[in-house]
């Protein structure tokens, strides 16, 4: 069931979204070479709590930390670690979810650590732009498959692949609500397509790869990596469909 949020609910999600955006801004500042992902996670958790939010990843199905920090071939769900130092040339995806007065927002960015290769830079740019392009067409009456198709087309026309094993999601009182928000069009999506109405709240999160886009999960049961160990990037915004278009909630 996909429920439409009221103005009050959207207001609380907007507050949660502001904390997410502030946390990601902080992450961007902290993400430099020689810093550990553990340090970034610790600082972000402090920032969230100082702003009266709750980090929603911590404890979710036993996940141990407040953020996911996924480096290079890691696609999503990388676990912050005190033994993993960032180094020049890495790309780092930081994913943060926040609850504020029972309502949630989820967001992610990928950042370069120091100077990175041109290819890595391009991958990051295409991922962010794909997300923006997908969001741009949202207004009441648009189908989820149109959003997915727009993202997929932009990514593939730039020579990259879209991860198919993971998707975005509805969001609200729970981090994962209906519908699923894939970043590619499938028979299954077309058969179960969803019309977007004012008040629909979605976390849209393309994960894109230089290689095949196939993934596997490491032995820690969390970290998702590309099978071919080629680079991957990830961006995520929480958005709400408005009467006339769309509003991004994970902005300051
Ligand atoms: N943005 C991710 C998601 O929507 C974050 C979940 S990480 C977890 O699924 F640790 F909480 F599982
Ligand atoms: Co998400």
């Amino acid at each position: 069931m996909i429920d439409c949020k009221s103005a009050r609910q959207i207001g609380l999600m907007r507050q949660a979204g502001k904390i997410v955006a502030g946390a990601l801004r902080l992450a961007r500042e902290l993400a430099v070479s020689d810093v550990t992902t553990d340090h970034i996670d610790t600082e972000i958790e402090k920032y969230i709590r100082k702003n009266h939010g709750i980090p929603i990843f911590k404890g979710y199905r036993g996940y141990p930390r407040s953020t996911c920090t996924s480096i290079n071939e890691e696609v999503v769900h990388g676990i912050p670690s005190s033994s993993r130092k960032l180094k020049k040339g890495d790309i780092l995806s930081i994913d943060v979810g926040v609850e504020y007065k029972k309502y949630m927002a989820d967001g992610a960015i990928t950042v370069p650590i120091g100077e990175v290769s041109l290819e890595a830079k391009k991958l990051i740019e295409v991922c962010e732009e794909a997300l923006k392009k997908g969001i741009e067409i949202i207004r009441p009456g648009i189908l989820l498959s149109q959003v997915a198709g727009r993202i997929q087309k932009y990514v593939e026309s730039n020579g990259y692949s879209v991860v198919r094993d993971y998707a975005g999601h509805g969001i609200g009182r729970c981090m994962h609500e209906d519908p699923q928000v894939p970043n590619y069009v499938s028979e299954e999506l077309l058969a179960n397509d969803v019309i977007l109405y004012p008040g629909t709240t979605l976390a849209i999160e393309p994960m894109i790869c230089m290689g095949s886009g196939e993934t596997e999960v490491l032995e820690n049961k969390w970290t998702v990596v590309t099978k071919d160990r080629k680079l991957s990037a990830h961006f995520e915004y929480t958005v709400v469909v408005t009467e006339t278009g769309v509003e991004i909630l994970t902005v300051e």
Side-chain angles (χ1 to χ4, degrees):
M1 205 259 303
I2 302 162
D3 65 331
C4 294
K5 269 70 178 179
S6 68
R8 183 191 75 89
Q9 293 172 313
I10 292 163
L12 294 173
M13 290 181 69
R14 193 178 285 117
Q15 290 303 112
K18 281 190 198 306
I19 303 172
V20 167
L24 291 176
R25 180 173 43 80
L26 176 62
R28 196 183 276 282
E29 286 166 23
L30 293 171
V32 295
S33 61
D34 286 333
V35 162
T36 65
T37 49
D38 171 85
H39 175 70
I40 295 174
D41 180 84
T42 303
E43 292 304 310
I44 287 184
E45 179 167 351
K46 276 194 228 159
Y47 176 88
I48 292 170
R49 295 196 191 279
K50 193 179 78 202
N51 286 281
H52 313 290
I54 301 169
I56 57 181
F57 296 175
K58 205 171 201 174
Y60 179 83
R61 298 189 175 184
Y63 186 75
R65 304 301 295 258
S66 299
T67 63
C68 298
T69 51
S70 309
I71 302 168
N72 299 338
E73 76 282 2
E74 298 172 358
V75 180
V76 285
H77 305 168
I79 304 175
S81 156
S82 54
S83 57
R84 186 77 190 257
K85 268 190 185 165
L86 297 170
K87 56 182 201 310
K88 207 175 94 193
D90 283 342
I91 64 172
L92 170 70
S93 140
I94 309 132
D95 191 346
V96 189
V98 170
E99 177 181 328
Y100 180 77
K101 297 190 178 171
K102 301 283 177 228
Y103 284 86
M104 301 188 183
D106 193 0
I109 55 175
T110 299
V111 297
I113 308 303
E115 278 288 303
V116 301
S117 69
L118 266 183
E119 291 140 295
K121 218 167 151 181
K122 172 97 191 294
L123 181 78
I124 293 173
E125 282 168 12
V126 168
C127 189
E128 183 168 25
E129 189 58 28
L131 175 56
K132 289 184 171 158
K133 287 217 160 11
I135 289 173
E136 207 174 74
I137 61 168
I138 296 178
R139 57 183 164 72
I142 283 277
L143 298 166
L144 218 43
S145 62
Q146 292 176 276
V147 179
R150 189 89 196 273
I151 292 171
Q152 180 181 17
K153 205 169 140 206
Y154 185 75
V155 172
E156 291 178 353
S157 69
N158 277 281
Y160 302 124
S161 60
V162 161
V163 169
R164 294 169 183 240
D165 299 335
Y166 299 86
H169 46 93
I171 182 166
R173 270 179 94 92
C174 300
M175 171 161 66
H176 294 143
E177 299 185 352
D178 288 341
Q180 277 214 59
V181 184
N183 298 294
Y184 70 102
V185 180
S186 62
E187 287 301 321
E188 194 194 340
L189 176 58
L190 293 171
N192 303 285
D193 219 340
V194 169
I195 305 176
L196 301 183
Y197 294 103
T200 307
T201 46
L202 304 171
I204 307 177
E205 49 180 322
M207 292 144 268
I208 77 166
C209 303
M210 300 241 273
S212 75
E214 284 180 275
T215 68
E216 62 192 21
V217 180
L218 296 184
E219 280 208 340
N220 67 19
K221 298 267 189 4
W222 280 105
T223 311
V224 177
V225 296
T226 53
K227 270 196 183 159
D228 55 18
R229 302 300 190 263
K230 292 191 177 168
L231 291 186
S232 176
H234 173 216
F235 278 82
E236 175 175 27
Y237 286 138
T238 295
V239 307
V240 58
V241 183
T242 65
E243 294 293 334
T244 53
V246 63
E247 176 188 345
I248 299 175
L249 295 174
T250 41
V251 288
E252 284 188 279

